[in-house]
Amino acid sequence: MTSIAKPPVKHPTARTNGRGLTLRDYEGAMSTLCAGCGHDSVTAALVQAAWELEIEPHRAAKMSGIGCSSKTTAYFMKQSHGFNSVHGRMPSVTSGAAAANKGLTYIGISGDGDSLSIGLGQLSHAIRRNVNMLYVIENNGVYGLTKGQFSASADIGSTSKKGEANEQAPIDPVLLALTLGCTFVARSFSGDKQQLVPILKAAIAHKGLALVDVISPCVSFNDHEGSTKSYAYTREHEVEAVHADFIPLKREITVPETGEEVRVVEMHDGARVRLRSTATDYDPTNRESAYAHVRACQARHEIATGLLFVDENGRDMHDYLKTVPTPLVDLPFEALCPGKDALGKLMDRYR
Ligand SMILES: Cc1ncc(C[n+]2csc(CCOP(=O)(O)OP(=O)(O)O)c2C)c(N)n1
Ligand code: SF4
């Protein structure tokens, strides 16, 4: 992927995190996306989240497929590992990488085209395996990179720039993820950094696949009147059911009390997510009510955002596979390949 490096200039008074790194240290190459593209705001939120979580850049791997959205991985955490796969294959490549090395933080970035058409099977099985990763879909309702054809997330009646209306039913990644048993499901908006950053932090801390669908408008092909993925439409129709505050393990709880009902979900590393319900009777730990809420919002032409569902007790891919605690990549050759005799005994069990 071609990219333009940013000049390595740091302001002497720039704030550092616990690892002595500034926000600039979590940035990547200069973006070549269109000015105003929602994807660049998602990049800024990812930079902020990774800086606040104090992730060691060399302990993270950024994974992507093909699309303007998939170029996002070039624009943050320049010192991290990265793999730009072929179209729609990001989930499978990440599953393989995570199987070999469970010691890295996996950040997968995809688009609605990349994930909901050619990559739909890959996404479904990564959810089913509960691969330990953040899975961001930068959702703009079109194939931006190939000049704005409707994607599978386009709503019925949403119009193209030339005025043609989409007639086919959309695939909603949030409903799909809830149906497939995903253990962390959220939706946000690239124009709402205040909501997006804590969601990304909680998603990264989650053990298992955390799907974050981000409405991320394409200013060149899908930001006009008649589009249901424009900045204006999303701002007008966004309904946040549950607001998440992420509190890392070592920090004191300083989030002000609001008088609203607060639920605390403890993440597997001891960090906590405080969920403040802004809608009455909404339970973000109940899959059925999350599904019903998203469907009801759809029927009212509203966009359900916030942390919609979380289950911290789910097993992830390594639990299912019963792998040893040490990442496979760190095991000595003798442990990975126990020799002909051991292999022979193993084969005998299947005869
Ligand atoms: C195998 C294959 N088929 C088709 C394409 C053409 N193609 C490139 S990007 C893309 C879709 C991009 O849409 P999306 O993932 O939503 O990303 P966006 O550009 O909108 O951010 C398609 C169909 C391709 N690169 N490879
Ligand atoms: S074409 Fe659309 S999705 Fe691609 S960079 Fe431009 S605004 Fe973003």
Side-chain angles (χ1 to χ4, degrees), residues 31-40 67-69 71 140 142-148 216-222:
S31 172
T32 54
L33 302 184
C34 308
C37 175
H39 303 349
D40 280 338
C68 300
S69 35
K71 290 170 76 178
N140 53 20
V142 289
Y143 299 166
L145 191 74
T146 53
K147 304 226 175 297
S216 177
C218 168
V219 288
S220 293
F221 300 109
N222 207 14

Side-chain angles (χ1 to χ4, degrees), residues 225-278:
E225 217 185 313
S227 158
T228 58
K229 295 280 191 292
S230 65
Y231 280 108
Y233 187 94
T234 310
R235 278 207 186 92
E236 250 171 57
H237 295 80
E238 188 188 358
V239 175
E240 188 186 46
V242 176
H243 186 80
D245 301 313
F246 182 78
I247 304 136
L249 178 60
K250 51 189 179 251
R251 300 249 174 89
E252 197 193 334
I253 299 177
T254 52
V255 182
E257 289 298 340
T258 58
E260 292 155 345
E261 196 194 327
V262 173
R263 244 163 218 278
V264 176
V265 176
E266 189 163 320
M267 312 307 272
H268 78 287
D269 64 355
R272 278 181 278 175
V273 179
R274 283 166 39 119
L275 300 165
R276 270 187 289 119
S277 295
T278 51

